[in-house]
């Protein structure tokens, strides 16, 4: 449950911060992850900081999504989907580069396609 919280926090913080005129999504993701890591390191130690900051970082990939694709609600849902997908997929991709990005991409695609499908179904009624 804590891992879902950090994934959700990463998505929200990055999405909100990247909307500022002086901040882009890459800066928002890296700054948020650094702050998260340092805070958890001071409060809980290295092992937990590594795990929680990794989930925050993966969630921040979701938060880097364009506002044209997902809104605030979409980011919340995609971050939760990321938490679930990463719990299943990441153990199989241990040591492979880009695993967090793949999980984030799959999460955003699932939510975006679901949103478009829901809108089309609502239009038909």
């Amino acid at each position: 449950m804590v891992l879902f919280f950090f994934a959700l926090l990463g998505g929200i913080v990055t999405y909100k911060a990247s909307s500022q005129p002086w901040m882009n999504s890459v800066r928002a993701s890296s700054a948020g992850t650094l702050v998260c890591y340092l805070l958890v390191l001071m409060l809980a130690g290295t092992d937990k900081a590594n795990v929680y900051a990794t989930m925050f970082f993966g969630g921040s990939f979701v938060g880097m999504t364009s506002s044209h694709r997902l809104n605030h609600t979409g980011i919340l849902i995609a971050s939760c989907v990321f938490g679930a997908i990463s719990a299943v997929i990441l153990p199989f991709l241990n040591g492979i580069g880009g695993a967090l990005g793949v999980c984030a991409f799959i999460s955003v695609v699932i939510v975006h396609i679901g949103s478009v499908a829901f809108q089309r179904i609502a239009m038909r009624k």
Side-chain angles (χ1 to χ4, degrees):
M1 195 59 148
V2 175
L3 295 178
F4 280 100
F5 171 75
F6 277 93
L8 185 63
L9 187 64
I12 293 168
V13 167
T14 302
Y15 189 76
K16 289 285 194 181
S18 65
S19 67
Q20 302 302 315
W22 47 271
M23 180 77 76
N24 62 25
S25 60
V26 175
R27 287 180 184 161
S29 173
S30 59
T33 302
L34 181 61
V35 169
C36 173
Y37 182 81
L38 292 175
L39 286 174
V40 176
L41 179 65
M42 289 188 306
L43 297 173
T46 306
D47 292 336
K48 289 190 179 187
N50 290 339
V51 173
Y52 296 155
T54 299
M55 290 307 290
F56 185 98
F57 192 48
S60 75
F61 288 167
V62 172
M64 293 171 81
T65 303
S66 169
S67 60
H68 299 291
R69 294 276 176 234
L70 295 179
N71 58 17
H72 293 90
T73 306
I75 294 295
L76 291 171
I77 296 168
S79 295
C80 291
V81 171
F82 168 79
I85 287 176
S86 65
V88 174
I89 293 178
L90 285 181
F92 295 110
L93 301 177
N94 189 17
I96 297 175
L100 289 174
V102 167
C103 292
F105 174 74
I106 291 169
S107 303
V108 170
V109 167
I110 288 171
V111 173
H112 179 65
I113 289 175
S115 173
V116 169
F118 180 75
Q119 289 173 357
R120 289 190 179 175
I121 290 171
M123 287 178 151
R124 290 184 182 176
K125 290 184 179 182

